[in-house]
Amino acid sequence: MSWLQHRSSQHARSPSSGLGRSTRSFSFAEPEINLIPFIDVLLVILIFLMISTTFTKFQEIAITLPSASGADTVESAREINIAVSSDGRFALNGKIMNRAQLASSLKQMSSSAREQNLRISIDADARAPHQAVMTVLEIARDAGLPNIAFSSQAKK
């Protein structure tokens, strides 16, 4: 039995008092949910979000991103792999070495293969120190090897 039915049955059973009340039954209206204030609140929230997101665009740092176009054909290049571990260690083609050894090896490769197209591929760990990667770039520049690529993995 719902509250509305229970209330109307109690009211119909109560005897009339001497206060001039009649014993006729009252018809109760079913409660309704007014959606207009709800819609008004949602529209205000929507307008607030629209305005706040347009302002966040102007609060960011203004940068101009570089553009690049991929080549259809890649020249055959001898690739030199340099790995940088998360603790800043270097490995040249799978052989672990320090900075001095890496510099001498790259200078030797550069001088012995001047006519070949050498490309350095830097495989840096995501947690590798920025300074370690910059060290590899400096060593490659000093060895005269300008063709450098960074390896990455596709997001899943």
Side-chain angles (χ1 to χ4, degrees), residues 3 5 13 37 42 70 79 100 129 140 154:
W3 176 84
Q5 292 170 343
R13 281 188 269 148
L42 286 179
E79 190 166 292

Side-chain angles (χ1 to χ4, degrees), residues 21-34:
R21 291 189 184 169
S22 65
T23 58
R24 66 181 176 151
S25 65
F26 292 100
S27 65
F28 291 101
E30 203 171 305
E32 294 181 15
I33 297 175
N34 194 354

Side-chain angles (χ1 to χ4, degrees), residues 80-106 120-125 128-140 150:
I80 301 170
N81 291 317
I82 300 175
V84 181
S85 67
S86 61
D87 58 352
R89 292 182 295 150
F90 307 111
L92 176 64
N93 293 330
K95 183 181 175 191
I96 297 174
M97 53 183 58
N98 62 21
R99 179 186 174 157
Q101 291 171 333
L102 180 64
S104 65
S105 296
L106 284 181
I120 295 178
S121 175
I122 299 176
D123 304 330
D125 189 278
H130 185 256
Q131 184 60 48
V133 177
M134 291 304 296
T135 301
V136 172
L137 290 172
E138 288 175 358
I139 291 172
F150 288 92

Side-chain angles (χ1 to χ4, degrees), residues 48-149:
F48 173 75
L49 289 175
M50 288 172 34
I51 291 172
S52 65
T53 56
T54 57
F55 285 136
T56 58
K57 187 188 320 180
F58 298 112
Q59 293 175 353
E60 295 175 0
I61 297 173
I63 58 171
T64 303
L65 296 176
S67 61
S69 60
D72 292 337
T73 59
V74 177
E75 299 175 15
S76 62
R78 196 173 111 197
E79 190 166 292
I80 301 170
N81 291 317
I82 300 175
V84 181
S85 67
S86 61
D87 58 352
R89 292 182 295 150
F90 307 111
L92 176 64
N93 293 330
K95 183 181 175 191
I96 297 174
M97 53 183 58
N98 62 21
R99 179 186 174 157
Q101 291 171 333
L102 180 64
S104 65
S105 296
L106 284 181
K107 284 181 184 176
Q108 181 184 10
M109 287 179 179
S110 173
S111 64
S112 67
R114 279 283 179 206
E115 296 174 13
Q116 288 184 354
N117 188 12
L118 289 177
R119 181 176 65 198
I120 295 178
S121 175
I122 299 176
D123 304 330
D125 189 278
R127 294 174 303 276
H130 185 256
Q131 184 60 48
V133 177
M134 291 304 296
T135 301
V136 172
L137 290 172
E138 288 175 358
I139 291 172
R141 181 194 64 206
D142 293 343
L145 298 169
N147 192 3
I148 299 172

